[in-house]
């Protein structure tokens, strides 16, 4: 592999964001150094950190600067909704509005969330051992820029009764592009796609199912099955091993990916990637800004570090470097090091910085 210059935008964000991103950068720098690449970071402000400086959660300049990078690494944004002044602003000016806008601006329509049960962390999994025996490894692919969260909405008074409307819309092109991404990824894994919908009730789901079936025709090596979302919610706790790639629309994916993350044990371990049609991606931990533990130096940086590994894999095609990071994470866990969220008896508790340092050292 040629030596590369990686142009990475960095949104440290709010709460624990700066703490965990700093550790991911440490690990990225080490991997780059080892394999002869250079990294060029561009600092980007979003969320509360941007509100404090610019009064809005995302400026046009930041969007342009993000677009000029090859990929963006992000911590998390937002604060405590009860106490933070950011939540006294109108909804369109709050931290989360920045996140919704950047996803739309960068056309990040595919959200990938791996849910992997590490052998070393089996104890943290709330499911019975007979269900998790041998671990599990699934990838949830959620449509991110359409559906209910982006549809028209309004609240009106009708005949003296307050009534709220939200609309769920998908066109066939939106479904096709995410389905293709899902099949591409399944083709490199265990070659199975479970497409999740509510086709017994919703028109949008019936179209979803039809288009996914068409796309499946182009991937004869990949098996497709359909599952209703309510059944999928049950199957995730009953038999998580059956899943390879779960392909689903925005709201179902929002809920199912949180459920899948819970069965792996800790939110601090869960990476994520949001991709568009090019190699560009936004990589971030699945968790939020954890204001309850911010500034204490105890947050788990592994989800962000694994997100950085996904960035190397999906945006830069640096599989060897991504493998090196993932192997280093597994090794440090095997050696018994734990942050507080994944701590168990007989293990050695470390803080955010020490965990990042240990992983970097093992690359
Ligand atoms: P959260 O994920 O921040 O926290 C939930 C629980 O998980 C907390 O107890 C927290 O301490 C713990 N936790 C999360 N990440 C951890 C880590 N790396 N290590 C150890 N423990 C960790 O969810 P929340 O409390 O509902 O939300 C807090 C803020 O984050 C809100 O403002 C919310 O809007 C925002 N949020 C942002 C994103 C994002 O940036 N993509 C995602 C979800 C929530």
């Amino acid at each position: 592999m040629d030596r590369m210059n990686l142009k990475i935008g960095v949104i440290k964000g709010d709460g624990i964001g700066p703490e965990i991103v700093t550790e991911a950068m440490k690990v990225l720098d080490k991997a780059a150094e080892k394999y002869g690449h250079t990294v060029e970071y561009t600092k980007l402000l979003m969320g509360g950190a941007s509100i404090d400086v610019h009064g809005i959660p995302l400026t046009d300049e930041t969007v342009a600067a993000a677009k000029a990078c090859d990929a963006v690494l992000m911590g998390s944004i937002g604060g405590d909704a009860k106490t933070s002044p950011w939540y006294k602003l109108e909804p369109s000016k709050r931290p989360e509005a920045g996140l919704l806008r950047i996803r739309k601006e960068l056309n990040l329509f595919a959200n990938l969330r791996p849910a992997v049960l590490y052998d070393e962390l089996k104890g943290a999994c709330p499911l019975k051992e007979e269900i998790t025996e041998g671990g599990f490894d699934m990838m949830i692919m959620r449509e991110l820029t359409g559906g209910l969260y982006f549809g028209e909405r309004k609240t009106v008074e009708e005949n003296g009764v307050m009534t709220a409307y939200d609309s769920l819309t998908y066109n066939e092109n939106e479904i096709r592009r995410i389905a293709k991404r899902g099949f591409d990824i399944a083709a490199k894994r265990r070659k199975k796609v479970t497409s999740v919908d509510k086709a017994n009730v919703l028109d949008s789901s019936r179209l979803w199912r039809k288009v996914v079936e068409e796309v499946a025709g182009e991937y004869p090596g990949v098996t497709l099955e359909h599952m209703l979302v309510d059944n999928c919610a049950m199957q995730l706790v009953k038999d998580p091993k059956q899943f390879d790639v779960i392909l689903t629309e925005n709201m179902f994916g929002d809920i199912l990916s949180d459920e899948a993350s819970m069965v792996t044990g800790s939110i601090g371990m869960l990476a994520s990637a949001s991709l568009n049609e090019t190699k560009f991606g936004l990589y971030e931990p699945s968790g939020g800004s954890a204001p309850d533990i911010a500034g204490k130096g105890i947050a788990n940086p592994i989800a962000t570090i694994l997100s950085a590994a996904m960035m190397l894999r999906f945006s830069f095609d640096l599989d060897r470097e991504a493998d090196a990071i993932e192997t280093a994470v597994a090794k440090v866990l095997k050696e018994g090091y734990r942050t507080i969220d994944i701590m168990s008896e007989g293990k050695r508790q470390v803080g955010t910085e020490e965990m990042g340092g240990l992983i970097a050292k093992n690359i």
Side-chain angles (χ1 to χ4, degrees):
M1 177 62 70
D2 293 339
R3 293 177 175 218
M4 289 177 77
N5 179 39
L6 318 179
K7 283 178 70 186
I8 300 175
V10 176
I11 300 171
K12 288 197 170 180
D14 310 315
I16 60 169
E19 300 166 54
I20 54 183
V21 171
T22 300
E23 298 315 307
M25 290 165 77
K26 200 190 270 177
V27 173
L28 268 175
D29 287 341
K30 185 66 194 294
E33 186 198 315
K34 176 159 179 189
Y35 293 100
H37 308 297
T38 48
V39 191
E40 201 183 309
Y41 295 111
T42 305
K43 192 176 159 197
L44 305 168
L45 281 184
M46 197 174 89
S50 172
I51 296 174
D52 289 345
V53 177
H54 303 294
I56 51 172
L58 181 67
T59 64
D60 293 343
E61 290 73 24
T62 304
V63 172
K67 282 181 180 168
C69 298
D70 300 321
V72 172
L73 179 68
M74 189 176 111
S76 39
I77 50 110
D80 185 331
K82 286 197 195 99
T83 55
S84 164
W86 301 327
Y87 295 89
K88 296 206 165 56
L89 300 167
E90 60 167 280
S92 68
K93 296 223 168 89
R94 290 179 194 168
E96 288 72 13
L99 191 56
L100 291 179
R101 182 168 166 222
I102 203 161
R103 285 176 180 164
K104 198 86 188 169
E105 290 275 359
L106 299 173
N107 203 17
L108 302 172
F109 62 84
N111 180 241
L112 273 181
R113 268 169 71 166
V116 181
L117 184 65
Y118 281 81
D119 212 35
E120 291 79 18
L121 300 180
K122 265 202 297 219
C125 175
L127 302 180
K128 284 193 208 131
E129 227 180 297
E130 67 234 43
I131 294 175
T132 58
E133 191 57 45
F136 53 79
D137 176 357
M138 66 182 109
M139 185 71 93
I140 302 202
M141 180 154 244
R142 162 189 172 194
E143 202 291 326
L144 206 58
T145 54
L148 201 60
Y149 299 170
F150 290 92
E152 273 179 41
R153 62 178 64 98
K154 61 178 178 181
T155 304
V156 289
E157 199 176 311
E158 287 173 350
N159 303 323
V161 181
M162 292 302 286
T163 306
Y165 294 87
D166 294 286
S167 50
L168 200 178
T169 312
Y170 273 107
N171 69 42
E172 58 178 305
N173 298 332
E174 290 171 306
I175 302 170
R176 193 167 292 114
R177 66 183 184 179
I178 181 109
K180 282 189 170 177
R181 276 273 169 156
F183 278 88
D184 281 339
I185 285 176
K188 289 187 186 167
R189 292 172 47 99
R190 299 195 309 282
K191 302 185 173 33
K192 181 177 168 190
V193 169
T194 304
S195 174
V196 175
D197 60 39
K198 188 74 183 166
N200 53 342
V201 180
L202 302 175
D203 262 18
S204 56
S205 282
R206 284 190 273 269
L207 181 62
W208 181 277
R209 201 173 268 219
K210 182 171 170 280
V211 176
V212 169
E213 264 167 19
E214 280 167 23
V215 172
E218 298 164 28
Y219 295 83
V222 178
T223 310
L224 168 67
E225 67 172 13
H226 299 286
M227 193 177 276
L228 294 176
V229 62
D230 39 349
N231 186 27
C232 185
M234 286 195 288
Q235 294 298 328
L236 275 173
V237 290
K238 205 174 149 209
D239 180 18
K241 275 181 278 190
Q242 69 181 289
F243 296 111
D244 179 18
V245 173
I246 293 181
L247 171 68
T248 192
E249 62 94 56
N250 201 343
M251 181 178 61
F252 297 157
D254 188 10
I255 299 167
L256 294 175
S257 55
D258 267 16
E259 185 188 357
S261 65
M262 268 322 290
V263 299
T264 66
S266 170
I267 193 135
M269 296 291 300
L270 296 162
S272 92
S274 303
L275 311 173
N276 64 19
E277 261 145 342
T278 70
K279 283 273 167 202
F280 185 92
L282 173 74
Y283 299 83
E284 55 172 321
S286 297
S289 57
D292 53 337
I293 57 164
K296 294 186 180 159
I298 58 170
N300 187 348
I302 294 180
T304 318
I305 290 168
L306 291 173
S307 303
M310 286 178 89
M311 169 191 287
L312 295 178
R313 200 182 293 289
F314 293 120
S315 285
F316 298 104
D317 286 323
L318 295 173
D319 290 302
R320 184 184 53 173
E321 290 77 350
D323 288 344
I325 294 178
E326 286 165 2
T327 307
V329 168
K331 185 154 179 255
V332 169
L333 291 174
K334 211 171 193 75
E335 285 169 355
Y337 295 102
R338 303 281 187 274
T339 44
I340 192 167
D341 55 311
I342 52 172
M343 185 59 191
S344 61
E345 223 184 295
K347 304 298 176 194
R348 177 137 172 240
Q349 193 176 316
V350 294
T352 312
E353 215 181 312
E354 196 178 349
M355 182 56 97
L358 283 163
I359 295 167
K361 205 178 84 191
N362 275 286
I363 287 177

